[in-house]
Amino acid sequence: MALGDALAGDIAAGKAKAQAVCQTCHGIDGVATEAMVPNISGQQKEYLVIQLEAYRSGRRQHAQMSIIAQMLTDDDIGNLAEWYSNIKVTVEPPA
Amino acid sequence: MALGDALAGDIAAGKAKAQAVCQTCHGIDGVATEAMVPNISGQQKEYLVIQLEAYRSGRRQHAQMSIIAQMLTDDDIGNLAEWYSNIKVTVEPPA
């Protein structure tokens, strides 16, 4: 898949897919529900696409993610990246 | 290194190290300065430790990160994870 294709994602379809396959660990808002799970809210779209493709191809490995990524189409990856990258994040460093 | 050791990080030392080695790409507040770089603000401490160790050991690969992680001590990893995980993140999903 060309990176550009995945970057034209559908945000509503991404939200629906996120509710179906990502929410349990990453939250629908991208905030992790467990310590070993990364927050993915507002993550860069390109980064999300590349990492999901890396899990799907086996270049990046993780017990759960390697299996889940196998179930994702190119469109799913683009849509999920669209959803999570569009969550607005505000950060406040420690004083 | 035991995970527990790295989790007792020093936040001030982590900030100083972040300014020295992470800031250019990840920002001192963990907000990425380029599209292919992940935001790491408020990321789970355990996740940050595991990923830095994975880059250092070669289990996870990336052109820049594989080199940078080689320069980090166990203490550095714990301190960096302490700094970035303590950045408070507020999220707002699309309406």
Side-chain angles (χ1 to χ4, degrees):
Chain A
M1 166 169 62
L3 184 59
D5 297 343
L7 294 181
D10 176 320
I11 194 166
K15 181 178 185 180
K17 194 74 182 176
Q19 286 170 323
V21 298
C22 314
Q23 181 169 230
T24 305
C25 297
H26 291 287
I28 190 61
D29 59 0
V31 177
T33 59
E34 292 178 45
M36 297 301 287
V37 176
N39 299 323
I40 55 176
S41 335
Q43 199 53 275
Q44 305 277 334
K45 197 186 304 183
E46 293 84 348
Y47 179 78
L48 291 171
V49 168
I50 291 289
Q51 296 308 314
L52 284 171
E53 289 182 344
Y55 281 126
R56 189 171 62 172
S57 73
R59 190 163 54 80
R60 188 174 174 185
Q61 301 272 339
H62 182 266
Q64 280 81 49
M65 285 304 301
S66 299
I67 295 166
I68 290 167
Q70 297 296 326
M71 306 187 302
L72 301 177
T73 65
D74 289 358
D75 281 348
D76 290 337
I77 288 178
N79 296 342
L80 287 168
E82 192 74 31
W83 169 252
Y84 280 113
S85 67
N86 274 289
I87 295 170
K88 189 178 165 196
V89 170
T90 308
V91 306
E92 186 187 332
Chain B
M1 168 169 61
L3 184 58
D5 297 342
L7 294 180
D10 176 319
I11 194 167
K15 182 179 185 181
K17 194 74 182 177
Q19 287 171 323
V21 299
C22 314
Q23 181 169 231
T24 305
C25 297
H26 290 288
I28 190 62
D29 58 0
V31 177
T33 59
E34 292 178 46
M36 298 301 287
V37 176
N39 299 322
I40 55 175
S41 335
Q43 200 53 275
Q44 306 277 333
K45 198 187 303 184
E46 292 84 349
Y47 179 78
L48 291 171
V49 168
I50 291 289
Q51 296 307 314
L52 284 171
E53 290 181 344
Y55 280 126
R56 189 170 63 171
S57 73
R59 189 163 55 79
R60 187 174 174 185
Q61 302 272 339
H62 182 266
Q64 280 81 49
M65 284 303 302
S66 299
I67 295 167
I68 289 166
Q70 296 297 326
M71 306 186 302
L72 301 177
T73 65
D74 289 357
D75 281 349
D76 290 336
I77 289 178
N79 297 342
L80 287 168
E82 191 75 30
W83 169 251
Y84 280 113
S85 67
N86 274 290
I87 295 170
K88 190 179 165 198
V89 170
T90 309
V91 307
E92 187 187 331

